[in-house]
Amino acid sequence: MKPAVFRSTLAVSAIAIALAGCLQDGGAISPSHAANGAPTPTVAPVAAPAPAAGRYGLPDFSALVEQVGPAVVNISVTQKVGRGGATSGEDPFAGDPFYDFLRRFGVPVPGMPGNGGGGGGRMPEQIQQGVGSGFIVSSDGYVLTNAHVVDGASEVTVKLTDKRDFKAKVVGVDKRTDVALLKIDAAGLPFVRTGDAERSKVGEWVVAMGSPFGFENTVTAGIISAKARRLPDENYVPFIQTDVAINPGNSGGPLFNLAGEVIGINSQIYSRSGGFMGISFAIPIDVAMKVKDQLQKYGKVSRGRLGVAIQGLDAELAQNFGLDKPNGALVASVENGSPAEKAGLAPGDVVLGVNGQKVDNSADLPRIIGEQKPGSVVRLSIWRDRKARDINVTLGEQAGEKLAATGGADRKGENASGKLGLTGRALTAQEAARLGVPGGVVVEGLGGPAAKAGLQPGDVIIGVNNQPITGIDQFRKLLDAAGNRFALLIQRGGSRIFLPVRIG
């Protein structure tokens, strides 16, 4: 585990950082002591009293902290690694200036390759330690934390606020949501009450507890800044954004509302420096508890699979497809032999709902489908040919859907001509067969509306308003019939996406 685990790059020099504590090299580390056999207090989850107004009208969190604090734990992890993270076959001392100095003067050092010190090029084992946070979710010793806190750990120790510590078993981890479930051998433990993250409101007070930089039982407070935040490569978690002070070591700690209910697990920060800058993200507790239930029962998380590539809708695309609002997930392509293909789902369909649950934007669909049990039958509400209809799909099991990202720079090509302002060539029969389409146009030069729409050289246009292209002449006819607003279906690399185009 590295000193900081980088999970998502959000901007140039600005990063979303997972909050596992820094690991430091050490010598032989004495194992943590097991439970000392002291009597175990029985503490049920108790509703924390509403914080009283302080001297200046701000809430006083002391009563809340007193009630919920005993259920928050410190997590220490131990990991055995080769020096410098070297793998077998590498020189573990490469780049070490002290080693280079001694080797230059022929001084033998035990463990150094080629010096007869017994190392023989093998990696000397090193012990590293890290810290994180967690919270008890049941009196029999189940603890929730982040997956990145315990990733690669050879030993995990859970320390309670009463100073007892326990060796913990990692029941299971789910890296997709960054949730891990631990189990300690204890009973009658204090545990948290879970709240409803959906009912939380932007602007309401929240409290975080954890071990930033190893400082145990640290309490910080702030407000919810936003809800349902989507981070790059995070299709399964609608993060709660807060301005609560969160730092490395807070990973896996609880985020409480004023009723003393956990509504999230602190997971990442947005930072240019690696420290707190006023933006932090928590995993909604409802997402975490669904993962926890599967980990506890099966030791892993199984997710439903639809087998489509999707993209978001903007106002122009919505108008092209006859929708009043840009809601739903636009199907860009359907995998061969997938559950979606077997059910008749097609490119150009817009998924508006699953089993009556609305799909407000494309990022909702992977999460909703992923929460369904593989093999279950779901009812999809779709929009096709400017009409609403329902289809049933029997889900498979696998990873979630790929989100086909739209975009592209404005690029002007030479010799641009025609209504779109592009030049191109027809697909060869072999190229069309490889793509599984009847025909298409390979973009070679760009200008005008085509460039403004985001088309790029090398894109393959395979449809106009969901009508497949069979050749150049038919492509021109489709453009003439489409008027001044239409959507192009293009193949870009391994993805298919729709691009809205406006003429004039």
Side-chain angles (χ1 to χ4, degrees):
M1 194 177 295
K2 297 180 180 180
V5 182
F6 298 87
R7 289 177 53 80
S8 302
T9 300
L10 300 183
V12 176
S13 76
I15 49 179
I17 305 175
L19 303 170
C22 298
L23 290 171
Q24 299 177 346
D25 290 336
I29 305 296
S30 299
S32 299
H33 297 290
N36 57 18
T40 305
T42 300
V43 183
V46 179
R55 181 177 178 184
Y56 299 104
L58 296 176
D60 179 357
F61 303 107
S62 58
L64 183 154
V65 171
E66 184 177 350
Q67 290 287 340
V68 302
V72 182
V73 302
N74 170 263
I75 296 175
S76 300
V77 298
T78 300
Q79 185 182 30
K80 297 178 181 179
V81 297
R83 178 170 176 171
T87 57
S88 179
E90 298 177 354
D91 180 359
F93 294 93
D96 186 329
F98 184 64
Y99 166 47
D100 291 338
F101 173 82
L102 294 177
R103 184 177 59 178
R104 183 179 303 169
F105 289 94
V107 179
V109 178
M112 285 188 176
N115 283 316
R122 289 190 173 187
M123 297 179 295
E125 189 174 71
Q126 298 290 313
I127 301 285
Q128 291 185 328
Q129 287 190 316
V131 295
S133 306
F135 54 98
I136 305 169
V137 292
S138 63
S139 62
D140 55 350
Y142 282 99
V143 176
L144 275 181
T145 186
N146 283 146
H148 73 261
V149 170
V150 297
D151 186 28
S154 56
E155 184 179 289
V156 179
T157 302
V158 170
K159 185 177 181 180
L160 308 186
T161 56
D162 62 9
K163 307 304 180 184
R164 290 182 297 157
D165 53 29
F166 300 83
K167 293 287 182 60
K169 172 187 176 183
V170 179
V171 178
V173 298
D174 180 49
K175 292 185 178 181
R176 246 181 221 285
T177 55
D178 196 22
V179 173
L181 181 65
L182 312 179
K183 178 68 170 69
I184 60 176
D185 188 12
L189 296 174
F191 60 98
V192 300
R193 292 183 304 123
T194 56
D196 187 349
E198 286 291 326
R199 298 181 63 182
S200 61
K201 296 180 180 180
V202 174
E204 74 172 78
W205 284 96
V206 284
V207 175
M209 298 185 68
S211 305
F213 302 110
F215 294 106
E216 301 173 14
N217 313 122
T218 296
V219 180
T220 53
I223 62 169
I224 295 177
S225 304
K227 294 176 60 179
R229 285 295 195 209
R230 308 287 176 178
L231 303 183
D233 303 320
E234 296 282 1
N235 292 334
Y236 286 89
V237 181
F239 286 97
I240 301 170
Q241 179 185 327
T242 77
D243 70 348
V244 180
I246 299 296
N247 284 288
N250 272 119
S251 271
L255 184 71
F256 292 101
N257 60 19
L258 294 191
E261 301 167 331
V262 175
I263 60 170
I265 303 178
N266 298 309
S267 176
Q268 300 186 44
I269 59 175
Y270 179 90
S271 177
R272 287 185 172 92
S273 64
F276 174 67
M277 294 187 69
I279 297 179
S280 50
F281 300 99
I283 303 162
I285 194 62
D286 56 320
V287 174
M289 291 303 288
K290 288 175 182 176
V291 171
K292 174 257 181 189
D293 290 342
Q294 288 204 51
L295 292 178
Q296 186 172 344
K297 190 172 183 179
Y298 307 110
K300 66 175 184 176
V301 177
S302 297
R303 291 185 170 88
R305 175 178 174 270
L306 193 55
V308 297
I310 58 174
Q311 70 177 86
L313 285 163
D314 57 19
E316 287 198 49
L317 274 177
Q319 286 185 342
N320 289 327
F321 285 96
L323 288 165
D324 295 333
K325 297 179 181 179
N327 292 342
L330 176 60
V331 177
S333 64
V334 178
E335 296 176 17
N336 293 332
S338 66
E341 184 187 55
K342 294 176 182 177
L345 207 62
D349 290 342
V350 180
V351 181
L352 301 175
V354 180
N355 289 340
Q357 184 176 356
K358 289 184 179 180
V359 177
D360 291 324
N361 58 65
S362 59
D364 291 333
L365 185 61
R367 175 179 56 83
I368 295 173
I369 292 296
E371 290 175 352
Q372 310 301 316
K373 186 177 180 181
S376 62
V377 178
V378 298
R379 186 181 77 257
L380 299 183
S381 300
I382 67 170
W383 184 261
R384 177 185 294 173
D385 297 331
R386 298 177 180 269
K387 295 180 182 179
R389 64 183 69 188
D390 290 342
I391 64 172
N392 292 328
V393 182
T394 301
L395 298 179
E397 180 178 5
Q398 235 261 348
E401 319 306 327
K402 294 180 180 179
L403 184 63
T406 59
D410 292 345
R411 301 189 184 188
K412 294 183 179 181
E414 298 179 1
N415 302 319
S417 61
K419 179 178 180 178
L420 272 178
L422 63 80
T423 58
R425 65 171 179 82
L427 282 176
T428 65
Q430 292 83 357
E431 290 171 333
R434 188 166 62 248
L435 293 176
V437 295
V441 177
V442 181
V443 177
E444 294 180 331
L446 283 168
K452 291 180 180 179
L455 278 167
Q456 300 175 5
D459 286 345
V460 181
I461 304 172
I462 57 177
V464 179
N465 281 346
N466 211 30
Q467 296 296 313
I469 296 172
T470 57
I472 294 290
D473 291 339
Q474 186 248 2
F475 176 49
R476 291 195 181 105
K477 291 178 181 178
L478 289 175
L479 287 179
D480 290 339
N484 291 333
R485 298 171 70 96
F486 49 91
L488 297 179
L489 177 60
I490 68 169
Q491 179 87 29
R492 178 177 293 168
S495 300
R496 291 182 182 180
I497 61 176
F498 284 91
L499 288 181
V501 180
R502 178 187 294 180
I503 307 296

